[in-house]
Amino acid sequence: MKKIIHDLSLQQLEDLFVQELHEKKYRALQLYQGLMLGKSIQEISTLPKSLKDRLLTLFEDETIVILREFTAKDGTKKFLFQLADGNCIEGVFMQYKHGNTQCVSTQVGCRMGCVFCASTKGGLIRNLTSGEILAQVLVVNARMGGNSKQRAITNIVLMGSGEPLDNYHNTVNFLKNVSAPEGICISTRNISLSTCGLVPEMRKLANEGLSINLTVSLHNGEDRQRQNIMPIAKVYSIQEILDACNYYFEQTGRRYIFEYSLIAGENASKKDADKLIALLKGKPCHVNCIRLNAIENGKLIGTTEKEAYQFVAMLEKGGLSATLRRKMGDDIAGACGQLRANYLNL
Ligand code: SAH
């Protein structure tokens, strides 16, 4: 595979052009601006053909292409992307009153093994480069009619397939590049990173000076039970996660969020709510509940809507800030990894 052009920042492109390709610096800016508009190298009309031909000996022309596009009844769009090496990943575009959110993937597959998650079927294939993560945002922004000034995407969540903190270096590089003022410039305050709880990397992230929102997939307030559905819980305890969240809050001043997918007979009883309340009361956090999206051949199913509302009401009564997230794009396999899993027949 050739190199991925989106891995380079504007500064790095300029250095490459001036020092190695012996091209004018402004050509690097033209290239960069074209890339930010979601164009492939070939499509950038401001560059001379000879220069494009040289670039194409070094770089893949299309970092990512939209292979399939599905639109749900609620307007949510789901994209199946193809990478230059033929691997597939997916992404979701959700429209809200306050703006539009793009959900991006950070790995092809995942090795965390959470039993309810489709992304982990088939294991980890490979990490995405920072440019492959960025290109997901750029092509969807363009597809939805946006450019780098008038963005169609206002918010990003790193909640597609993969564990972002298991691909730490590339994820952090992506966060820097996607928020760069000269680029698509999406404010880090509008970006949320979700982790299954890789404690050392959570602490490292707190020191990066990026004010992104940290979200942790908790799904149970008790270690033993959490271990039944999330293998990573055998490595890091809930207490270690809470300590890392607290450190994140100290370093960034940002309140953290817990994801809690409601699973029938597993984590949605009064006892489960009480455990969470005891654990989280008084902490600068929010609990985001969602009914589990059952995956094919999986044993677990979501609670009813009524049970979900009751669970959230119990948390609120216990003094926690909690909401029930609408399930979006249900009819188009909206949950993590479902689309790719269906496509690949995993
Ligand atoms: N690896 C990261 C991010 C990807 S998953 C993490 O674990 O947080 C994004 C969120 O969707 C996580 O909270 C994950 O637990 C949840 N999730 C995965 N599969 C789901 C499903 N089938 N139904 C509901 N939520 C799911």
Side-chain angles (χ1 to χ4, degrees), residues 116-117 159-160 162-163 194-196 217 219 259 261 292-293 336:
F116 47 83
C117 181
M159 296 190 185
E163 165 51 48
S194 182
T195 177
C196 59
S217 301
H219 308 323
E259 293 287 333
S261 298
L292 188 84
N293 252 307
C336 279

Side-chain angles (χ1 to χ4, degrees), residues 29 59 66 69 73 141-142 150 152 162 166 170 191 205 208 216 228 253 258 266 268 288 299 308 336 339:
L29 180 64
F59 296 99
I66 296 175
E69 182 181 324
K73 290 190 200 90
N141 184 54
Q150 303 255 295
D166 188 37
N170 293 343
I191 303 178
L205 189 67
E208 295 283 354
V216 181
N228 289 336
F258 292 107
E266 182 73 32
N288 216 339
K299 292 190 192 76
C336 279
L339 189 63

Side-chain angles (χ1 to χ4, degrees), residues 36 84 132 144 149 265 284 294 321:
M36 291 299 125
E132 288 173 323
M144 301 312 296
K149 299 269 162 341
S321 155

Side-chain angles (χ1 to χ4, degrees), residues 194-207:
S194 182
T195 177
C196 59
L198 300 188
V199 167
E201 287 77 14
M202 287 165 67
R203 288 180 169 271
K204 221 164 131 186
L205 189 67
N207 297 330

